[in-house]
Amino acid sequence: MSFKFELVSPERILVSEDVDQVVLPGTEGDFAVLVGHAPFVSTLRPGVLDVTSGGTRKRLLVKGGFAEVDPARLTVLAEQAFDVADLDAAKIGRELEAAEAELAAAKDDEARLRASTLIEQLKSLQGAPRAH
Amino acid sequence: MASLKDMRNRIASVKATRKITKAMQMVAAAKLRRAQEAAQAARPYAQRMDQMMASIGSRVTSRDGVSPLLVGTGKDDVHLLVVMTAERGLCGGFNSNIAKLARQDAQRLMREGKTVKIFTVGRKGADNLRRDLNRIIIDRMDFRAIKQMRYSEAELVTKKIVDMFEAGDFDVATLYFSEFKSVIAQKPTALQLIPAKIPEAKAVSDGKAEASAEFEPSEESILADLLARNLTTQVFRGLLENAASEQGARMSAMDNATRNAGDMINKLTIKYNRQRQANITKELIEIISGAEAL
C-alpha cells in the first residue's frame, strides 16, 4: 500500500510520488508515516527524511519545516532540501560553514538549537555521506 | 526646410530605435515566460501554507501569548511601507504605479497623524519616492545583480523587516507590489504583513479529518513558526509577482513603442517621397523654363 508524498519548497515542488513509508525528523522525535496515518501536523527539526518506496530508499536532508499528514497524503513544507546521494564533501562543507555562521549569529536558544542540530546532521553525513 | 539627407538620417534613426524596442519586447516576452513559470512553481507552497494557517488559526482561539506577528503590538501609530519595485525602467507605468499607490497611502496615513516609514526594495521605487518622501525612507535594498528571484532574496528582505519589528520600530507593516493579472494588466497591490491576516478556512472536502488532527508540538508553537515563515513566503510571492508584472509591463510598453516607431517611419517616408518628387519637379521646371528662354 502506498500513499502520496509531496516535498514542497518555496520555489517549486521537489518531490511528488507514491511511497510506502517515510520516516521524518519531528521536533519532538522521529516518526514514521505509513498509509492510513491519522491526521497529524508537526514541525520538523533539521534532519534526514527516509523515504521508502517499493524496494528503494531515498534520503533527503531538510533544514526544518512542516509536515502535514492525513490518511492518503503526506505533505512536507521545507525551505531547503537536498538528496543525500547528491551531497558531496564540498557541498556538505559549504553547508556546514553556513550553519556554523548561523550558530554564531543565533540570538535565542531556539535558533541555536536549530543550527547545532543541523551541524550534527551534516557532520554525521560527512563521516559517511553515501552510507545507506 | 529639412533637406533630403536630413530626412533620410531621421528615418534611419527611427528604424534603429524600432529595432531596439522590438528586441526589448522579445527579450521581455522570453523573460516573462520564465517569471511566470517561477511564480507558478511557487504557488503550491504558498497555498499549502495558507491552508495550514487557516486550519490552525481557526483552532487557536485565545489570543493570549500568541506571537506579536499575528496580534500586532496593540497600536497602529507607526506604519512601515515596504515598497517593492523593479531595478530597471522602460516598462511603462509599472514602477510609477506602485510608487503612486504607496505615496497615496503614506500621505493618507500622515494626514491621520500616524508616523510613516518607508523601506524600498528595488532602485526605481526609491528614485521615485525620494523626490518628496526622502526624509521618511529609512532603508533601501537593491537586487540589481540578481537575474532570478530566489527564496534567499526574500529571506534577506524579511530579516530586515523582522529585525525592525523586534526593535519596535513600527507597529504595522504593509507590502506594496504589483500583482500579475495578465500580460496587459498589472495591479498595484497593498498587502498587510504585520499583524498577519489569517486566511479564511476553506471548507475542504475531507474537513472532518482536518478538525481532528493532532499537533506536535502545540498548535500555538506551530502557528508561531508558521507565521515567521509565512512572512518570507508573502515577500517571496511579492517579488515573483513583481518580476512577472515588470516583464509584462515592459513587453506591452515596448510593443507600443515598436508600433509607434513603425507609424512614424511610414509618415516620414511619405514626407520624404513627396519632398523628393517636389525637388524633381522643381528641377524639371527650371530646365524647361531655361530651354524656353533660349
Side-chain angles (χ1 to χ4, degrees):
Chain A
M1 282 289 274
S2 61
F3 60 99
K4 186 107 183 141
F5 165 58
E6 279 190 319
L7 177 60
V8 190
S9 84
E11 283 165 18
R12 63 202 170 90
I13 295 181
L14 295 170
V15 179
S16 173
E17 58 190 25
D18 288 324
V19 298
D20 295 325
Q21 178 190 287
V22 182
V23 181
L24 300 118
T27 313
E28 299 192 338
D30 290 6
F31 60 95
V33 176
L34 293 164
V35 69
H37 196 289
F40 180 59
V41 176
S42 173
T43 50
L44 301 179
R45 62 182 157 73
V48 175
L49 300 180
D50 210 329
V51 184
T52 317
S53 59
T56 59
R57 281 178 75 193
K58 188 153 70 175
R59 282 148 52 85
L60 301 159
L61 177 71
V62 296
K63 295 184 180 175
F66 303 92
E68 193 182 15
V69 189
D70 67 36
R73 219 169 19 150
L74 164 65
T75 311
V76 175
L77 301 183
E79 274 154 28
Q80 268 184 312
F82 310 94
D83 194 330
V84 172
D86 292 343
L87 282 176
D88 49 29
K91 242 186 199 166
I92 294 179
R94 261 205 309 279
E95 290 297 330
L96 206 52
E97 246 170 60
E100 267 157 8
E102 208 169 292
L103 180 63
K107 273 177 281 184
D108 51 50
D109 285 346
E110 208 178 312
R112 214 166 292 135
L113 180 67
R114 197 189 289 276
S116 60
T117 327
L118 183 58
I119 291 174
E120 252 169 58
Q121 281 293 339
L122 287 166
K123 281 198 172 141
S124 74
L125 286 175
Q126 208 171 24
R130 272 160 216 278
H132 274 233
Chain B
M1 188 156 221
S3 75
L4 284 181
K5 185 162 194 313
D6 286 342
M7 291 188 70
R8 268 201 302 273
N9 287 341
R10 181 86 199 281
I11 292 172
S13 120
V14 179
K15 274 188 179 157
T17 309
R18 183 174 65 173
K19 261 186 204 153
I20 294 169
T21 56
K22 181 90 193 161
M24 280 183 80
Q25 186 208 335
M26 287 194 289
V27 170
K31 282 190 179 164
L32 170 68
R33 204 171 44 83
R34 232 177 310 150
Q36 260 179 302
E37 273 164 15
Q40 216 141 40
R43 222 159 275 161
Y45 187 85
Q47 272 170 358
R48 304 243 152 82
M49 192 158 261
D50 273 358
Q51 258 170 34
M52 233 190 256
M53 291 256 290
S55 76
I56 296 178
S58 61
R59 294 169 61 95
V60 179
T61 40
S62 87
R63 299 243 151 155
D64 313 326
V66 179
S67 159
L69 290 178
L70 179 62
V71 290
T73 53
K75 296 177 290 186
D76 72 332
D77 297 337
V78 185
H79 285 250
L80 178 74
L81 311 185
V82 184
V83 184
M84 304 206 293
T85 52
E87 295 299 334
R88 272 170 252 270
L90 288 180
C91 44
F94 173 76
N95 291 312
S96 49
N97 283 345
I98 300 174
K100 195 166 89 190
L101 181 69
R103 179 177 285 119
Q104 277 169 359
D105 281 2
Q107 280 160 351
R108 179 175 51 80
L109 288 166
M110 282 193 277
R111 269 200 304 279
E112 286 167 11
K114 318 265 194 230
T115 312
V116 180
K117 293 175 177 177
I118 294 180
F119 169 30
T120 62
V121 180
R123 187 165 60 100
K124 283 287 162 185
D127 288 351
N128 190 317
L129 292 171
R130 203 167 46 191
R131 274 175 234 146
D132 53 338
L133 299 171
N134 198 19
R135 70 206 148 72
I136 58 170
I137 296 181
I138 51 165
D139 208 342
R140 49 186 298 177
M141 208 177 220
D142 288 353
F143 289 132
R144 213 166 309 175
I146 284 152
K147 286 214 181 82
Q148 173 73 48
M149 283 297 167
R150 306 197 69 90
Y151 195 67
S152 44
E153 269 82 58
E155 273 174 342
L156 288 178
V157 177
T158 315
K159 194 174 170 318
K160 275 214 169 155
I161 299 175
V162 170
D163 283 351
M164 279 189 252
F165 186 63
E166 277 168 358
D169 283 350
F170 64 87
D171 302 313
V172 180
T174 315
L175 190 65
Y176 288 85
F177 64 96
S178 191
E179 201 184 329
F180 183 81
K181 295 264 184 203
S182 73
V183 180
I184 45 164
Q186 299 88 30
K187 188 166 158 261
T189 311
L191 179 79
Q192 188 174 315
L193 277 184
I194 304 173
K197 289 218 172 91
I198 288 203
E200 287 289 308
K202 264 182 258 144
V204 197
S205 52
D206 51 350
K208 326 193 275 299
E210 197 91 14
S212 60
E214 278 190 40
F215 294 90
E216 188 184 291
S218 63
E219 281 104 317
E220 284 79 8
S221 68
I222 294 186
L223 185 62
D225 216 352
L226 266 175
L227 282 166
R229 279 165 213 252
N230 186 52
L231 214 56
T232 318
T233 310
Q234 298 292 357
V235 171
F236 186 52
R237 186 175 86 98
L239 286 174
L240 289 176
E241 291 269 342
N242 245 6
S245 297
E246 180 197 345
Q247 299 305 341
R250 176 164 300 125
M251 205 177 113
S252 48
M254 287 302 125
D255 187 39
N256 274 338
T258 309
R259 210 168 313 134
N260 282 344
D263 290 349
M264 200 169 196
I265 290 169
N266 283 345
K267 261 188 227 149
L268 283 173
T269 313
I270 290 174
K271 213 168 141 199
Y272 170 77
N273 286 341
R274 289 234 173 94
Q275 173 96 45
R276 192 175 58 98
Q277 194 68 58
N279 280 359
I280 293 168
T281 315
K282 203 175 83 195
E283 272 170 33
L284 275 177
I285 290 173
E286 274 166 10
I287 292 167
I288 293 166
S289 51
E292 272 175 358
L294 284 175

